[in-house]
Amino acid sequence: DAMVIQNPRYQVTQFGKPVTLSCSQTLNHNVMYWYQQKSSQAPKLLFHYYDKDFNNEADTPDNFQSRRPNTSFCFLDIRSPGLGDAAMYLCATSRGSRRGPTNEKLFFGSGTQLSVL
Amino acid sequence: KQEVTQIPAALSVPEGENLVLNCSFTDSAIYNLQWFRQDPGKGLTSLLLIQSSQREQTSGRLNASLDKSSGRSTLYIAASQPGDSATYLCAVLMDSNYQLIWGAGTKLIIKP
């Protein structure tokens, strides 16, 4: 089945040690998103790509970077994780238009639970 | 600024009951509204998407309605089952960008 796959499912890193989370999709969707979700909170959009066009949310810390080398893959890099970055990181995809959003559902991966020691 | 509110924050009902989850939003100029389900420690699954021009959408035992003028949406679950236990979130998309505005969710427990 076509899907959004996130690896790893659980990631433990040390304070200040760079970490990379990965996401792949077989849906051939042109929009990919990274969300951060802390316990009992709604997801918070960090950034999204329309094709290779990167869109950073204004309040996303500089500590968070992303790469999208091709349509299928997207990476989230946390350069110097702090204790406050411990969270579930969710990747999502959708079909979009260069003119803006469309009436297409978002498809989420199962998430990567990041712990910072 | 758009704000999305979900009431109640938690709901516990016996199996078999029909139930309604509520979502309200402050700015009626939405592009669409989605209802999502999230199981503990998992990602989100989009259940229903209602376009701004639509009044309702149905999928199996789920029915979602949208009243833009009053800034409200409801998710109706018929004949609830223990497997329906999850957190349900609604999110609205404005026509200006790709960012969804999320409610805080309703945690639903269906007791056998």
Side-chain angles (χ1 to χ4, degrees):
Chain A
D1 286 342
M3 59 178 62
V4 181
I5 301 168
Q6 290 188 244
N7 286 303
R9 183 73 181 87
Y10 299 94
Q11 176 73 56
V12 180
T13 190
Q14 292 179 336
F15 183 94
K17 184 175 180 181
V19 64
T20 295
L21 310 182
S22 70
C23 177
S24 63
Q25 55 131 341
T26 59
L27 297 161
N28 204 33
H29 285 169
N30 51 5
V31 187
M32 293 188 78
Y33 310 78
W34 278 106
Y35 283 89
Q36 180 193 64
Q37 187 180 29
K38 296 189 176 180
S39 183
S40 301
Q41 295 183 19
K44 177 182 181 297
L45 182 64
L46 296 173
F47 22 63
H48 77 272
Y49 282 90
Y50 176 85
D51 287 337
K52 289 212 165 191
D53 294 338
F54 176 71
N55 297 272
N56 197 33
E57 294 304 309
D59 57 354
T60 298
D62 293 339
N63 197 26
F64 291 87
Q65 304 285 318
S66 184
R67 297 169 282 135
R68 189 180 185 186
N70 55 52
T71 299
S72 301
F73 286 88
C74 196
F75 300 96
L76 171 62
D77 301 308
I78 308 177
R79 292 192 296 186
S80 181
L83 298 179
D85 297 327
M88 174 76 85
Y89 289 87
L90 296 164
C91 174
T93 72
S94 71
R95 270 194 288 262
S97 163
R98 203 166 281 284
R99 292 190 297 273
T102 61
N103 286 308
E104 299 280 349
K105 288 183 176 181
L106 261 68
F107 290 80
F108 281 83
S110 297
T112 293
Q113 183 67 51
L114 178 69
S115 299
V116 182
L117 303 180
Chain B
K1 179 185 173 186
Q2 177 73 276
E3 293 183 0
V4 179
T5 304
Q6 291 186 248
I7 295 174
L11 181 64
S12 180
V13 301
E15 180 178 5
E17 282 199 6
N18 303 325
L19 59 98
V20 174
L21 306 181
N22 297 295
C23 173
S24 61
F25 46 93
T26 55
D27 184 346
S28 63
I30 64 171
Y31 195 82
N32 62 45
L33 183 146
Q34 288 189 68
W35 282 94
F36 293 87
R37 168 186 172 139
Q38 186 172 31
D39 293 287
K42 300 281 184 65
L44 291 93
T45 301
S46 180
L47 299 172
L48 291 163
L49 182 149
I50 312 177
Q51 300 178 28
S52 62
S53 59
Q54 297 175 328
R55 299 282 292 183
E56 65 177 344
Q57 283 287 320
T58 298
S59 176
R61 294 182 294 108
L62 305 179
N63 176 276
S65 69
L66 176 63
D67 184 344
K68 279 202 323 178
S69 61
S70 66
R72 291 181 182 177
S73 176
T74 61
L75 179 66
Y76 175 82
I77 303 177
S80 58
Q81 303 170 358
D84 295 330
S85 298
T87 296
Y88 291 80
L89 297 99
C90 71
V92 300
L93 186 66
M94 309 304 288
D95 59 9
S96 55
N97 57 46
Y98 285 97
Q99 176 162 168
L100 284 169
I101 312 297
W102 296 82
T106 294
K107 184 175 182 179
L108 177 64
I109 297 174
I110 307 297
K111 298 175 288 187

